[in-house]
Amino acid sequence: MLHPASSWDWQPGERVVLDSTGCPAPHEWQEEPYVAPDGETFGAAVRLEDGLFTMCVNGVPWEASFDKLWHPRFGPDGRLIAIVQQDGEWTLAVNGEVWPETYAFMWTPLFSLDGAVIATAIQQDGRYGLCVDGTPWDTLYENANEFSLSRDGQASAAVVQTQSLAAADIAAFQRGVFSVAVNGQVWDKTFVNAWTPTFDAAGQRVAAQVRLSLYDYSIAVDGELWKQNYACVWEPRFNPASGAVVAPVRIAGSWGLAQDGQIIWEPVFAQCWQQDFSRDGKTIGAIVATGYGKFTVAVNAKPWSATFPVVTDLVLSADGKRAAALANEYNANWRVVVDGQAWNGLFDMAWKPVFSPDGLHVAAKVEKRNRQTVLLDGKPYKRDFEQVWEPSFSPDGAKVLIRARDGGKYLRIVAQATDF
Amino acid sequence: MGIKDRLIEDVGLREGVKRLTEDKIEQVVQTVLKGETGARLAAYSEICMRCGLCSEACHFYLSHDGDPSYSPVGKVQQTMAVLLKKKGRVSPDFIYGMAQIAYTECNLCRRCVHFCPVGIDTGYIMSTVRRICHKLGVTPQYIQDTAHSHSATFNQMWVKEDEWTDSLQWQEDEAREEFPGLRIPLDKEGADIYYSVIAPEPKFRTQLIYQAAAIMNAAGADWTMPSEPGWDNSDMCMFTGDFEMMGRLKRKHFESAQKLKVKRIVMGECGHAFRSVYDMGNRWVAWKMYPVPVIHSIEFFWELMKQGKIKLAKKYPGPVTVHDPCNVVRGRGHHEKLRELVRFLVDGPIIETASNREHNICCTAGGGVINCGPPFKNVRLDGSKAKAEELRATGVKTIVAPCHNCHGGLEDTVHRYKLDMHIKFLGDIIYECMEKPS
Ligand code: SF4
Ligand code: SF4
């Protein structure tokens, strides 16, 4: 990783990075801000007085400006990207430098885990696929969606349409014209549908949900089908240690988990999705519903006793000993739930909890009455802000980085447990 | 008369029944009846007295001079009642007629529930018939194509991902000429409002996106639209009977909103999608209610009006009549809000159709009927005679119809019955009358 968390400034305390978050260059308007993972850089799209767009980064506009600009985001390594249009052609600007390749349209940028590789969806001459660091797949398709990049960025995949369909040709559709392309190469088999292609940890294998007829769902791994079909399936994921493929499956109206086509969690749930693994692959957690309207988390098939109308954003600690998720009542009264226990406090919104690398601590961003703050192990930071970004832990787990915007300033705070 | 006397050729139905045997039909019917229907269907079949009081409720019956084969009970007698009596052992030809009734002669409008002394919901029974037809692979071609589009693109009109975002950016550009500084903020995390539409908007009704942006802008709303799939709230899979796909669509839609951390979803002027988000789709997923509140445009505009956030430069010249979309009126009770809003927007009275509010007659397009396409257009329009007569009797020129399907259906009805009326979305009127920069 070019810029790992271990190299960030972890000196405890509060630092004002920007006295004013407004772009000093003359502009018509400024859009939503984004900040780098290390908290050192603050960027926002601005429309300049000449009608062109650029990014203003820590108060300095990029040299280049563009006819259109959207989707500004910081990558994991701190590079700032934006999708930009110049003379009717789209490309990606990375820290203000554009890729030499341009396309008729570009969207959905994807980063490798360390941020070194960036892929985006592209359309050129009515053909669809991905480009990786600007270079398009050799083969583009009639349509492509459900884009995916491996952790190391060396492989990319998408669901692709392998042949044209005449208008309302339902027979051709049901014969199957969709498949998965990996690095632009399509699998041999086609399906009625394919969704959510996903890579294994090494980026060597791909698993996807497939529909074989209008009624039979299964999982395909590198183009090979599981032997079993199901009434429905959700996203498969690879066990990071064993390489086995695990997916939620629906049998006789209930959901469980199957691994390589064998049931590992009995189908007893009204819902089951977003399964996640511990690093050693021995623990599996998933969001489940134990009944109609009763959502919770199950760890190794055992559901927590507390249930909620809605549960989202499950995360397991790396060692698998702990799990955290968010619960809410139809988008109100959000709670952070850790190991089956809801923390004190109801919020207007909460964001995905984050475990410290050692799994001992949990932090989460929350919002109440339009003010935001960070909770550590259930306790709020000593003050709140107009906006905070999601927290991250120092490698030793002892400190929390809070990136915050308040009163026109942008702050970078390294907080310790005593600050909460 | 019965369905046998009025069969219409449709390649989806025809090819579907060719693949069937009586054994296959029996097995599928039994599986659905045993596995998916439970007490409600059993109760309905036991308590129906065949009194026929529901007949007067159904516009198909009214439009066909009281032909009992178009009455709710008549349709049940030709479909589900036979399946139950014969325990699913029926012929492929029977399935053809059954599918035609369920998909093209019932709008699932639920008007008949109000007329039935024991509250039988024929719409539910017809939905179950459709579920069986889906499982048998006997569905009309055009609506099935729409369901295919949903499955492949997560929208109902094969709109590709670049086409979607490009349409939004194009509308933003256009609207910015008229409203300097206007934005359609894409993927804005934490926005108050996630604005969702259905695929005909980017495909051929882009002015609706333009108008929505203009209204949001004028109201100072904190809003966003998603750039990725999930933006289409519609759901023809609910109407073909592909409930697995219905659940997948709703998961995508709501996860898209959850990912953006919005407070609520405001949906454009669509009726059926509302049924999917708060009644059928959410429930298949095991959510009791929608996981993110969904506010229909009627309610949203009403709210803006109450808060003084719609400033009118003029009023729309009345009188007008109001068409109540079944899914947001019978389904959700928005009829008085709709009228309050129309009174605020229009100079002149609302001339009600004889049947109105929760007793409104369906536009005859709903429930996926219009989506069954050209083969069934005449049937649909024959069925809308009762609606046309009520509309004509109002004597007005403008119909306010806050629903895409109703809009499409009523346009055809106006044309067929030479009504000399035009149809407006609420957004059309608000946009036309709002204060704009000079
Ligand atoms: S169209 Fe409406 S009134 Fe007629 S049977 Fe169907 S649900 Fe009942
Ligand atoms: S009104 Fe009710 S009970 Fe009477 S025939 Fe119709 S559905 Fe049956």
Side-chain angles (χ1 to χ4, degrees):
Chain A
M1 184 131 176
L2 264 68
H3 189 47
S6 56
S7 67
W8 301 353
D9 174 5
W10 287 106
Q11 192 61 38
E14 182 174 312
R15 172 148 57 83
V16 176
V17 178
L18 286 177
D19 263 322
S20 165
T21 53
C23 182
H27 60 271
E28 286 182 12
W29 72 78
Q30 178 168 337
E31 304 188 351
E32 300 75 50
Y34 293 85
V35 297
D38 69 0
E40 302 288 357
T41 320
F42 177 102
V46 287
R47 163 127 156 169
L48 302 168
E49 287 185 323
D50 57 7
L52 298 177
F53 290 85
T54 193
M55 292 301 300
C56 190
V57 184
N58 281 3
V60 183
W62 281 350
E63 271 176 31
S65 53
F66 308 94
D67 293 340
K68 288 183 187 170
L69 179 153
W70 68 290
H71 201 83
R73 294 291 186 278
F74 281 93
D77 61 356
R79 290 189 294 167
L80 176 59
I81 62 155
I83 304 170
V84 296
Q85 190 197 49
Q86 199 62 16
D87 304 323
E89 296 288 321
W90 290 94
T91 189
L92 196 75
V94 183
N95 283 347
E97 302 285 329
V98 295
W99 283 348
E101 301 84 356
T102 62
Y103 298 96
F105 207 75
M106 176 176 280
W107 68 105
T108 308
L110 303 167
F111 295 96
S112 60
L113 196 66
D114 65 2
V117 180
I118 306 169
T120 74
I122 51 165
Q123 181 265 109
Q124 184 63 26
D125 303 320
R127 309 287 294 171
Y128 292 77
L130 279 160
C131 78
V132 179
D133 286 332
T135 308
W137 280 355
D138 290 340
T139 311
L140 298 177
Y141 295 88
E142 174 89 18
N143 198 1
N145 40 38
E146 310 267 314
F147 306 99
S148 176
L149 184 66
S150 67
R151 282 157 54 105
D152 65 4
Q154 298 308 304
S156 54
V159 172
V160 297
Q161 185 177 339
T162 58
Q163 48 174 282
S164 303
L165 281 176
D169 189 348
I170 59 175
F173 177 91
Q174 288 178 27
R175 284 193 294 274
V177 298
F178 290 92
S179 189
V180 172
V182 181
N183 299 327
Q185 298 300 308
V186 70
W187 286 349
D188 292 339
K189 284 196 184 64
T190 59
F191 311 97
V192 170
N193 292 106
W195 300 284
T196 62
T198 182
F199 284 95
D200 69 347
Q204 305 286 326
R205 299 167 64 213
V206 176
Q209 305 174 61
V210 292
R211 189 161 71 144
L212 306 172
S213 69
L214 295 184
Y215 324 102
D216 299 306
Y217 292 74
S218 190
I219 300 295
V221 183
D222 295 335
E224 294 303 316
L225 289 168
W226 280 4
K227 291 195 182 65
Q228 287 71 20
N229 295 343
Y230 305 92
C232 198
V233 298
W234 296 128
E235 61 280 359
R237 284 182 183 164
F238 284 92
N239 183 311
S242 70
V245 175
V246 174
V249 297
R250 182 171 162 99
I251 297 171
S254 297
W255 290 90
L257 281 182
Q259 174 171 298
D260 299 334
Q262 304 293 321
I263 290 293
I264 55 168
W265 288 15
E266 285 303 318
V268 295
F269 298 111
Q271 192 48 269
C272 176
W273 57 33
Q274 290 180 33
Q275 70 279 18
D276 190 18
F277 298 88
S278 60
R279 195 164 35 206
D280 65 8
K282 291 195 173 122
T283 304
I284 304 178
I287 294 175
V288 299
T290 54
Y292 179 55
K294 293 182 174 167
F295 280 81
T296 188
V297 167
V299 178
N300 290 337
K302 196 171 175 309
W304 290 344
S305 53
T307 64
F308 307 90
V310 180
V311 170
T312 65
D313 297 281
L314 167 67
V315 58
L316 294 186
S317 63
D319 62 11
K321 293 197 175 112
R322 307 185 67 194
L326 303 174
N328 69 71
E329 294 162 32
Y330 308 113
N331 217 33
N333 295 335
W334 287 75
R335 304 159 199 260
V336 182
V337 189
V338 180
D339 301 330
Q341 296 287 319
W343 284 351
N344 281 337
L346 294 173
F347 301 93
D348 298 335
M349 187 57 71
W351 278 254
K352 187 168 187 161
V354 186
F355 276 102
S356 59
D358 56 14
L360 294 178
H361 304 287
V362 187
K365 165 184 170 179
V366 292
E367 177 181 305
K368 197 163 192 171
R369 288 187 281 278
N370 293 319
R371 299 288 292 173
Q372 300 185 340
T373 192
V374 169
L375 305 178
L376 175 67
D377 298 328
K379 287 185 279 183
Y381 182 68
K382 60 192 176 191
R383 59 168 287 203
D384 59 15
F385 308 89
E386 268 168 57
Q387 183 179 11
V388 296
W389 280 263
E390 290 167 72
S392 44
F393 281 95
S394 58
D396 65 2
K399 293 168 210 137
V400 179
L401 175 65
I402 300 176
R403 301 166 292 166
R405 187 174 62 77
D406 203 33
K409 296 185 194 325
Y410 169 61
L411 314 167
R412 184 188 186 281
I413 300 163
V414 176
Q416 305 180 85
T418 49
D419 297 324
F420 290 85
Chain B
M1 200 167 159
I3 188 65
K4 278 204 210 79
D5 310 309
R6 54 176 186 260
L7 290 179
I8 289 171
E9 266 316 294
D10 177 275
V11 66
L13 300 182
R14 182 59 65 203
E15 294 302 315
V17 294
K18 275 190 197 161
R19 293 187 290 256
L20 295 179
T21 60
E22 291 198 358
D23 285 345
K24 163 85 180 168
I25 297 168
E26 184 177 3
Q27 177 252 321
V28 167
V29 173
Q30 291 295 339
T31 311
V32 174
L33 291 183
K34 288 205 181 102
E36 302 185 20
T37 61
R40 190 171 170 198
L41 188 73
Y44 284 164
S45 77
E46 274 162 30
I47 61 177
C48 175
M49 307 165 280
R50 320 255 170 92
C51 64
L53 286 172
C54 51
S55 303
E56 294 291 327
C58 186
H59 46 285
F60 282 100
Y61 173 87
L62 298 171
S63 301
H64 286 93
D65 303 323
D67 178 342
S69 70
Y70 286 99
S71 71
V73 61
K75 287 181 263 200
V76 174
Q77 287 307 310
Q78 294 173 85
T79 57
M80 185 57 84
V82 179
L83 294 182
L84 290 171
K85 190 163 143 231
K86 301 201 169 170
K87 300 201 163 52
R89 193 146 188 100
V90 295
S91 70
D93 282 348
F94 175 84
I95 298 295
Y96 195 110
M98 173 177 106
Q100 185 173 324
I101 291 174
Y103 287 108
T104 75
E105 295 181 1
C106 174
N107 295 103
L108 313 181
C109 77
R110 291 178 171 157
R111 187 168 193 249
C112 46
V113 183
H114 293 262
F115 285 65
C116 171
V118 287
I120 288 176
D121 181 355
T122 301
Y124 166 76
I125 300 173
M126 288 299 133
S127 283
T128 309
V129 173
R130 291 183 183 193
R131 171 69 174 160
I132 290 168
C133 292
H134 159 74
K135 288 278 207 179
L136 290 169
V138 183
T139 51
Q141 175 192 13
Y142 282 89
I143 192 170
Q144 186 58 45
D145 181 62
T146 309
H148 289 166
S149 171
H150 273 304
S151 73
T153 64
F154 289 98
N155 71 74
Q156 61 160 274
M157 300 203 97
W158 299 101
V159 177
K160 292 176 176 176
E161 294 186 18
D162 59 321
E163 294 169 343
W164 163 246
T165 307
D166 189 50
S167 299
L168 297 184
Q169 293 177 333
W170 166 47
Q171 289 312 305
E172 181 186 57
D173 264 0
E174 299 258 307
R176 207 173 265 167
E177 300 275 312
E178 188 177 8
F179 304 92
L182 175 146
R183 288 181 63 205
I184 298 181
L186 294 176
D187 305 322
K188 181 182 172 189
E189 193 192 275
D192 199 21
I193 292 162
Y194 172 117
Y195 186 62
S196 76
V197 300
I198 69 173
E201 298 202 20
K203 199 83 178 175
F204 50 72
R205 281 181 177 160
T206 45
Q207 89 279 3
L208 294 180
I209 296 173
Y210 181 110
Q211 289 170 182
I215 296 166
M216 292 286 186
N217 183 61
D222 174 17
W223 70 301
T224 189
M225 292 182 83
S227 70
E228 294 187 4
W231 52 265
D232 183 337
N233 54 44
S234 73
D235 190 351
M236 282 301 136
C237 299
M238 167 175 73
F239 288 149
T240 61
D242 187 350
F243 295 162
E244 289 76 12
M245 197 55 60
M246 166 181 78
R248 183 172 296 265
L249 297 179
K250 288 313 105 173
R251 179 182 178 193
K252 191 79 164 182
H253 181 52
F254 285 118
E255 284 188 348
S256 159
Q258 287 171 330
K259 193 171 138 195
L260 287 171
K261 295 287 173 192
V262 297
K263 301 289 187 298
R264 55 195 186 145
I265 297 169
V266 170
M267 59 182 285
E269 295 179 57
C270 176
H272 88 273
F274 204 70
R275 184 186 197 127
S276 172
V277 296
Y278 90 100
D279 179 2
M280 293 190 61
N282 57 311
R283 291 193 177 142
W284 188 90
V285 171
W287 289 312
K288 268 192 187 156
M289 235 306 165
Y290 30 48
V292 178
V294 181
I295 313 295
H296 191 273
S297 275
I298 295 173
E299 190 173 11
F300 178 64
F301 292 147
W302 179 87
E303 221 181 84
L304 293 182
M305 171 192 79
K306 286 278 169 196
Q307 294 165 350
K309 287 183 178 168
I310 302 178
K311 298 213 168 50
L312 299 181
K314 58 174 184 188
K315 288 209 173 201
Y316 184 84
V320 301
T321 190
V322 168
H323 169 75
D324 296 276
C326 310
N327 287 308
V328 288
V329 167
R330 261 190 291 284
R332 184 64 173 182
H334 279 340
H335 40 279
E336 293 309 333
K337 280 183 178 155
L338 174 56
R339 281 163 179 75
E340 276 185 53
L341 182 61
V342 170
R343 278 193 282 271
F344 168 73
L345 297 172
V346 169
D347 185 16
I350 298 171
I351 309 294
E352 297 286 359
T353 48
S355 312
N356 57 63
R357 298 177 168 82
E358 67 271 37
H359 297 294
N360 181 52
I361 289 185
C362 172
C363 65
T364 323
V369 170
I370 194 171
N371 307 78
C372 294
F376 302 99
K377 185 171 176 187
N378 281 333
V379 181
R380 172 164 61 82
L381 288 168
D382 293 346
S384 72
K385 192 166 117 215
K387 181 79 201 181
E389 282 164 4
E390 286 204 355
L391 288 169
R392 193 192 308 279
T394 64
V396 305
K397 296 275 181 235
T398 305
I399 309 167
V400 181
C403 165
H404 281 277
N405 270 339
C406 299
H407 219 87
L410 291 173
E411 267 165 17
D412 290 339
T413 298
V414 162
H415 186 73
R416 154 79 86 92
Y417 295 96
K418 303 196 170 41
L419 292 181
D420 189 25
M421 299 170 94
H422 48 259
I423 304 134
K424 292 279 178 188
F425 287 107
L426 292 165
D428 292 332
I429 296 178
I430 297 173
Y431 171 73
E432 188 177 324
C433 299
M434 67 192 263
E435 282 181 3
K436 300 192 187 78
S438 48

